[in-house]
Amino acid sequence: MADVRATKRALAPSRGSRPWTFYLLASLFTCYVIALYGPMICIYILSFQDVRGGLVFPMKGLSLHWFIDLFTQVRTGDVKGSFDRSIKLAILVTVITVVVSFMAAMAFRRRFPGDNIVFALMIGSLVAPGLVLGIGVGLLFNAIGIDTSPYGSALGAQLSWTLPFGVLVMFAVMSRFNPAWEEAAYDLGASAWQTIWLVFIPVLAPGLVAVALFGFTLSYDEFARTLQTAGPQNTLPLEIWSMTLNVTSPSLYALGTVTTIISFVIIGAALGTIVLIQKRRGARAT
Amino acid sequence: MAVLRGDIELAGLTKSYDGVHTVVQGINLKIPDGAYCCFLGPSGCGKTTILRMIAGHEDPTDGEIVIGGENVVGLPPVARGTAMMFQSYALFPHLSVRDNIAFALRIRGLSKEDRYRQTDAMIEKVRLTELADRLPAQLSGGQQQRVALARAAITQPRVLLLDEPLSALDEQLRVRMRVELQSMQRDLGITFIHVTHSQLEAIALADMVVVMDRGEIKQAGPARDVYATPRDRYVAEFLGGQNVFSGKVDAVKDDLVSFAAPQMQHIAVPVGASRVGKGDTMDVAVRRDDVELVRPGVELTADKSWLSSRVLAVEYQGNFVKVMLDATGSDEFVAYIPERVFFRDPYTIGDVVQATWPSHLARLLAKTTALTA
Amino acid sequence: MALSRSTVSWLYVSPLMLVLIPFFVLPILVVLVASVFETDGFGGLIPTFTLANYGTVLTSGLTFNLYVETVKFTVLTWFFTLIIGFFVAYFLVFHVRNPLLAIGLFLICTVPFWTSNIIRMISWIPLLGKEGLINSALLRIGLIREPLEFLLYSSFAVVVAYVHQLTIFMIVPIFNSMARIDKRVVEAAIDAGASRFDIMRLIIVPLSKSGVALGSIFVASIVMGDFFVTKVMSGGGSASVVGAFYEDISVLQYPGAAASAIILTVVLLAMVSLILRTVDIRKEITR
């Protein structure tokens, strides 16, 4: 971030009035942020209506009716079950994504025969249409005779999407790792494993948390690849999707509010962990 | 003579990355136990590659590295008894000074108590006690260097390898740290191998200087020998302090060589160990501080050589004055005149002078493949 | 015994390959195989080799319209996300003076990325609908008499939802490449008398190219592979290639769907490799 700071000073010296472009771009930025958050905030507000509530403003009353409705009504489907499955699946995906991305980024620090093929496959997996891939996985499992299930086929299909992301992020994280640290550890007698545990992982910890955050939210939100691979039991995004097609009550908004709260808890935990790691490193100094 | 634990011998050491170009070309060298040895050369001359091969961070394509009588090629650094101090130090950014220094002990499985006891003694030795809990990012360059030194020394290696250890420091600190490196080496009593591109650093520190060029050793020996009696033009020019010029030999008489070119007719150079014949083109080296300047017309004794020339530039250096002359055409010719002597009768640009030196102080250099500046 | 370096590298990437082969390479191959089979009309596949499915897909006017529609949404979305993303990143990197504030604003832009896409999409409904916030506001101030119909369940709504979801994919990579521009380069340009526009044209745009390329890959591949924003936000008025694919699958028309999917994938991969040819993404990221 240091270079960001420096560049900025160059173009916007701290003295003198701001150029007209500043005001223009500031307005653009403000509009963008309003458009980004405005609609979401609307549905959060609308989810707190009472029993008379509808899908649009004005607000009708204030209650938790639709939240209770969400978890008790049959009509809204198995929200609780899909929540449970989605979170478990996301945790599984997160752990695998962190470990596998870390290992892949270790390999990609230097060239090796076939590295371009691996890289191309990864990019292909990232950009391939999710639904097509999902159906491919479904047909494949069908052909081999394995039932599709959230923790089998859906897990794999989601990994084919979270891993390329995770590896790309790990590339950026790894580019800040000085290769001399690894050599220094070797010089001082560390084995390959000791170097990973005592040098790589602690140095890259904040980056690994970022990859975990990616893995979790990409999985928790994944839809296209999961649709044909989750089997008879829905994950949360599939549940939300079927609700968008047949539920026309603020229950839908209530579900939006609940998932957003969960997302925010996860983001908060991840950012908190990163801050904690940085702080613990800084604390010993002063 | 018995082989000591810190004796190093490089035999036919060769390194090639692509099988076509060799960065190190069959080096042979012996470094005695307890020596402070400097590898000196421009960047890309292969000196760092040699260091890394001795350390075990790179494998030689061919040849042997013998430390304390044992060929260590293929062994990991710890088994070699070497420790490396990296360029820019490579301190672990997430570990405090104490934990950085204790790293090797931790690897060896020492308990926290044991390793901190040993570490604290080392920390005291390098005067970092107050900073023991800091992270590397919060230290100055000089402090970081001391941590790096302590971290490498804690394993009690028999050889310490230093890769451009002073290059990350500013000029003043560099001079101070030079002194510290030297006293550290005396304290530890182990072999130091130090890679640098600065001849000042090499001369100031080393018992043994190894001058390198394009993967080959040009000259190796005590600092004073290499500086005062460079073997060839490359070494003379790289170490500085010498005027080097060449001329076609006219005659060899009474162990003195004279030259054909008209402006060199008053020059005589002792033959020394060289084999010289009429018609050979030879390089001659004259130390810049051996050169005196006199006004034209002053009588010179027969044991002196001289060149007539014009003053091109004058640079005041404090304790001496650097006078640049056009004496030898394309080659740079410089006289270092003591400050008091110069200002008794100062010269200005354009003055015609005679540059003179006692003939027996000039030296013929070994013929080299066309290595011109 | 020490393993050779490339063996170690392959050991490190083997878990990745263990995912990519069964969950990317094989499924695509399965779809490819299905695309040359015949259907028995009841969801079963007859293992033959026929290119008839491709013929049907390629000669159908319907498919052509689907592609036109999908490309239209892709281009529109790409255009708007690029413009907004570029200038938002530019504002954050070059106009916000306080570095902490810049990072804070950047985080504000990225937070919604971590929340559900579907929820973010449907959140436009109470705004854009016939009785939505925008229509009722316009009606109240008397700017319109009738509610605007084109706001929701229209191409407009589709583009709005896409831009809303995907601008972040432009902002992050462009921000990254802009942040790495050496300030001295910009200062040198100012010293040389470059105007604000010159700096933008000659320095900032060329040096942000890799970010733009990466962002474009993300946006284009997501829009082209998506079906469900089009389906919901157009209210059934527009279709997309993948949407039609999904419809085919649900009526068990596997071979036809597979042929169409293969064509789409080939188009997508061709586009991406074209972009990748202009910038070495791998080098850019690891730099």
Side-chain angles (χ1 to χ4, degrees):
Chain A
M1 281 304 165
D3 36 4
V4 185
R5 219 167 293 169
T7 317
K8 240 170 295 142
R9 251 185 248 122
L11 273 188
S14 45
R15 289 174 291 114
S17 64
R18 295 176 184 275
W20 58 271
T21 48
F22 173 83
Y23 296 100
L24 190 72
L25 290 171
S27 331
L28 173 86
F29 181 78
T30 313
C31 291
Y32 174 67
V33 171
I34 291 172
L36 197 60
Y37 283 86
M40 293 163 65
I41 290 168
C42 286
I43 69 157
Y44 304 150
I45 295 171
L46 287 173
S47 67
F48 288 96
Q49 300 178 94
D50 67 21
V51 66
R52 294 163 298 151
L55 284 178
V56 292
F57 280 104
M59 279 284 278
K60 297 193 179 86
L62 188 72
S63 77
L64 292 177
H65 175 84
W66 298 107
F67 290 90
I68 297 158
D69 185 74
L70 183 66
F71 288 102
T72 51
Q73 291 292 312
V74 184
R75 154 176 78 83
T76 49
D78 181 18
V79 174
K80 230 174 13 198
S82 59
F83 247 126
D84 188 53
R85 272 188 291 281
S86 264
I87 290 196
K88 280 183 190 154
L89 182 58
I91 289 171
L92 214 56
V93 169
T94 304
V95 173
I96 298 173
T97 303
V98 169
V99 174
V100 176
S101 307
F102 173 72
M103 291 177 70
M106 291 288 283
F108 273 99
R109 288 183 307 142
R110 43 180 91 89
R111 306 217 61 122
F112 57 93
D115 57 346
N116 281 332
I117 296 171
V118 179
F119 188 76
L121 284 181
M122 213 172 72
I123 297 292
S125 185
L126 182 72
V127 302
L131 190 68
V132 173
L133 213 61
I135 284 175
V137 172
L139 287 175
L140 181 68
F141 271 61
N142 199 11
I144 316 172
I146 308 173
D147 286 336
T148 51
S149 63
Y151 308 121
S153 48
L155 173 67
Q158 292 199 346
L159 285 172
S160 75
W161 158 246
T162 60
L163 281 179
F165 257 106
V167 175
L168 288 181
V169 175
M170 269 321 292
F171 276 7
V173 171
M174 200 63 102
S175 69
R176 288 187 195 127
F177 187 92
N178 180 354
W181 292 329
E182 186 189 7
E183 278 189 347
Y186 179 56
D187 203 76
L188 296 168
S191 67
W193 279 113
Q194 283 171 319
T195 308
I196 289 177
W197 278 115
L198 299 175
V199 182
F200 275 99
I201 291 179
V203 170
L204 300 177
L208 292 171
V209 175
V211 172
L213 181 59
F214 259 96
F216 189 93
T217 53
L218 288 176
S219 158
Y220 181 65
D221 211 22
E222 217 297 320
F223 169 71
R225 283 165 207 248
T226 322
L227 187 58
Q228 296 294 320
T229 52
Q233 292 175 312
N234 272 356
T235 62
L236 192 62
L238 302 183
E239 193 62 40
I240 300 174
W241 185 57
S242 67
M243 278 178 80
T244 59
L245 300 180
N246 49 42
V247 174
T248 50
S249 72
S251 281
L252 188 55
Y253 297 164
L255 184 51
T257 308
V258 173
T259 62
T260 308
I261 289 169
I262 290 177
S263 296
F264 272 79
V265 169
I266 303 288
I267 301 172
L271 291 180
T273 312
I274 294 177
V275 170
L276 201 74
I277 293 169
Q278 307 281 35
K279 219 185 217 147
R280 199 181 283 169
R281 288 184 191 172
R284 275 181 292 191
T286 42
Chain B
M1 196 177 88
V3 175
L4 296 170
R5 60 192 297 269
D7 278 333
I8 298 177
E9 187 174 350
L10 310 179
L13 194 64
T14 302
K15 178 71 182 177
S16 171
Y17 289 102
D18 53 7
V20 184
H21 306 95
T22 44
V23 272
V24 175
Q25 315 191 11
I27 295 283
N28 294 300
L29 186 70
K30 277 186 186 169
I31 303 166
D33 179 61
Y36 198 121
C37 172
C38 275
F39 277 79
L40 174 65
S43 53
C45 71
K47 57 191 193 299
T48 298
T49 309
I50 294 178
L51 193 77
R52 292 172 55 80
M53 287 194 285
I54 298 174
H57 292 299
E58 264 168 56
D59 292 325
T61 312
D62 197 14
E64 285 187 3
I65 299 166
V66 180
I67 303 178
E70 178 197 7
N71 185 1
V72 296
V73 170
L75 294 180
V78 169
R80 295 175 184 220
T82 59
M84 182 141 165
M85 194 174 130
F86 288 81
Q87 191 170 15
S88 312
Y89 316 131
L91 299 176
F92 301 123
H94 61 297
L95 296 180
S96 66
V97 167
R98 181 179 286 117
D99 287 327
N100 256 289
I101 297 172
F103 189 87
L105 304 178
R106 186 170 172 188
I107 294 298
R108 292 173 186 196
L110 266 70
S111 73
K112 201 167 191 161
E113 205 174 288
D114 283 349
R115 63 177 191 253
Y116 279 177
R117 192 161 358 92
Q118 286 191 39
T119 309
D120 283 343
M122 180 60 82
I123 290 176
E124 207 160 310
K125 208 168 182 178
V126 292
R127 304 189 316 281
L128 287 165
T129 310
E130 265 104 84
L131 308 173
D133 291 321
R134 290 223 185 158
L135 291 177
Q138 293 148 338
L139 301 178
S140 71
Q143 290 161 349
Q144 287 185 23
Q145 197 217 22
R146 298 212 295 264
V147 179
L149 199 58
R151 184 178 71 175
I154 195 93
T155 57
Q156 294 174 310
R158 39 187 186 174
V159 182
L160 192 69
L161 305 159
L162 306 100
D163 186 7
E164 300 270 6
L166 302 171
S167 64
L169 307 176
D170 63 44
E171 186 55 43
Q172 270 192 324
L173 204 54
R174 206 173 296 165
V175 175
R176 264 187 21 221
M177 286 300 153
R178 233 154 58 183
V179 179
E180 279 200 26
L181 281 181
Q182 223 166 12
S183 69
M184 193 77 186
Q185 196 243 354
R186 266 200 306 273
D187 278 3
L188 295 171
I190 60 174
T191 315
F192 270 38
I193 302 181
H194 174 141
V195 156
T196 179
H197 58 262
S198 152
Q199 77 278 19
L200 278 177
E201 213 169 287
I203 293 168
L205 284 169
D207 310 320
M208 179 179 184
V209 174
V210 180
V211 185
M212 294 208 49
D213 180 41
R214 302 181 207 188
E216 288 177 334
I217 294 178
K218 284 287 167 187
Q219 188 169 358
R224 184 153 190 270
D225 288 2
V226 175
Y227 183 79
T229 55
R231 211 172 58 86
D232 64 14
R233 190 184 191 105
Y234 176 84
V235 176
E237 285 180 343
F238 198 83
L239 281 153
Q242 304 267 357
N243 291 310
V244 183
F245 53 90
S246 51
K248 194 176 259 181
V249 174
D250 182 45
V252 182
K253 203 173 82 190
D254 300 337
D255 280 345
L256 285 175
V257 177
S258 60
F259 295 90
Q263 77 270 25
M264 290 171 79
Q265 58 183 311
H266 302 292
I267 294 176
V269 181
V271 173
S274 312
R275 294 167 59 96
V276 193
K278 184 179 157 84
D280 291 350
T281 299
M282 296 300 294
D283 287 330
V284 180
V286 179
R287 275 171 66 157
R288 290 173 174 178
D289 50 356
D290 283 340
V291 177
E292 271 179 85
L293 300 181
V294 293
R295 300 276 180 192
V298 173
E299 277 298 314
L300 292 166
T301 50
D303 61 348
K304 291 208 167 178
S305 295
W306 59 274
L307 274 163
S308 177
S309 66
R310 199 184 297 273
V311 175
L312 285 177
V314 176
E315 250 180 34
Y316 181 61
Q317 302 276 339
N319 52 353
F320 67 94
V321 177
K322 185 176 173 187
V323 182
M324 277 155 271
L325 306 168
D326 70 350
T328 49
S330 59
D331 296 313
E332 195 182 35
F333 196 97
V334 176
Y336 291 160
I337 309 296
E339 193 245 11
R340 286 182 211 284
V341 176
F342 181 86
F343 285 105
R344 247 181 259 147
D345 180 15
Y347 302 99
T348 52
I349 295 166
D351 284 359
V352 174
V353 296
Q354 286 176 14
T356 170
W357 61 90
S359 295
H360 71 275
L361 293 179
R363 296 179 51 253
L364 285 181
L365 296 177
K367 269 176 274 194
T368 49
T369 40
L371 270 178
T372 43
Chain C
M1 200 195 80
L3 296 165
S4 86
R5 280 201 159 173
S6 48
T7 315
V8 172
S9 294
W10 270 101
L11 282 177
Y12 273 132
V13 288
S14 55
L16 177 67
M17 294 308 281
L18 281 179
V19 172
L20 290 183
I21 289 173
F23 292 102
F24 167 61
V25 179
L26 292 183
I28 292 287
L29 287 179
V30 167
V31 175
L32 187 67
V33 168
S35 74
V36 296
F37 282 4
E38 276 174 33
T39 172
D40 61 6
F42 305 102
L45 294 171
I46 303 165
T48 47
F49 179 81
T50 170
L51 292 175
N53 302 312
Y54 286 94
T56 317
V57 170
L58 288 173
T59 53
S60 130
L62 195 68
T63 322
F64 182 74
N65 287 340
L66 282 175
Y67 269 86
V68 169
E69 195 90 330
T70 300
V71 168
K72 177 185 88 182
F73 286 135
T74 306
V75 170
L76 285 173
T77 308
W78 174 77
F79 178 78
F80 287 113
T81 53
L82 177 60
I83 296 292
I84 300 173
F86 184 88
F87 283 105
V88 165
Y90 177 74
F91 173 74
L92 292 177
V93 174
F94 292 107
H95 274 293
V96 180
R97 288 173 183 174
N98 180 336
L100 269 179
L101 182 65
I103 294 165
L105 293 177
F106 179 73
L107 280 179
I108 286 179
C109 292
T110 53
V111 164
F113 168 74
W114 310 108
T115 64
S116 166
N117 274 329
I118 307 176
I119 297 295
R120 282 201 287 148
M121 179 187 70
I122 59 167
S123 68
W124 284 98
I125 295 173
L127 258 94
L128 298 177
K130 215 163 161 186
E131 297 155 30
L133 217 51
I134 293 178
N135 268 327
S136 41
L138 290 176
L139 281 169
R140 195 166 310 158
I141 59 171
L143 222 61
I144 52 170
R145 293 233 188 95
E146 293 282 304
L148 297 172
E149 296 272 359
F150 76 88
L151 287 181
L152 190 59
Y153 304 131
S154 61
S155 299
F156 174 79
V158 173
V159 175
V160 166
Y162 276 136
V163 172
H164 188 221
Q165 276 182 15
L166 303 179
T167 303
I168 187 65
F169 284 96
M170 283 288 187
I171 295 179
V172 173
I174 297 177
F175 180 91
N176 239 321
S177 24
M178 280 185 182
R180 282 195 296 221
I181 296 175
D182 188 340
K183 62 159 185 167
R184 287 166 302 182
V185 174
V186 177
E187 279 170 353
I190 294 172
D191 282 354
S195 70
R196 205 189 305 283
F197 179 70
D198 289 334
I199 290 173
M200 177 66 94
R201 186 171 55 98
L202 299 172
I203 293 169
I204 295 174
V205 170
L207 290 177
S208 319
K209 228 171 55 186
S210 65
V212 172
L214 201 56
S216 303
I217 289 177
F218 282 136
V219 170
S221 64
I222 292 173
V223 176
M224 290 190 82
D226 183 76
F227 68 105
F228 131 103
V229 172
T230 319
K231 187 180 162 83
V232 174
M233 294 308 275
S234 74
S238 298
S240 61
V241 177
V242 180
F245 170 78
Y246 184 61
E247 302 290 325
D248 281 351
I249 292 292
S250 37
V251 296
L252 303 175
Q253 291 298 322
Y254 287 109
S260 152
I262 291 297
I263 294 170
L264 177 72
T265 307
V266 167
V267 169
L268 204 54
L269 289 179
M271 196 182 65
V272 168
S273 51
L274 215 70
I275 299 176
L276 283 176
R277 190 148 296 184
T278 60
V279 267
D280 188 345
I281 300 272
R282 183 176 160 191
K283 220 169 90 197
E284 286 291 338
I285 296 174
T286 50
R287 183 172 61 161

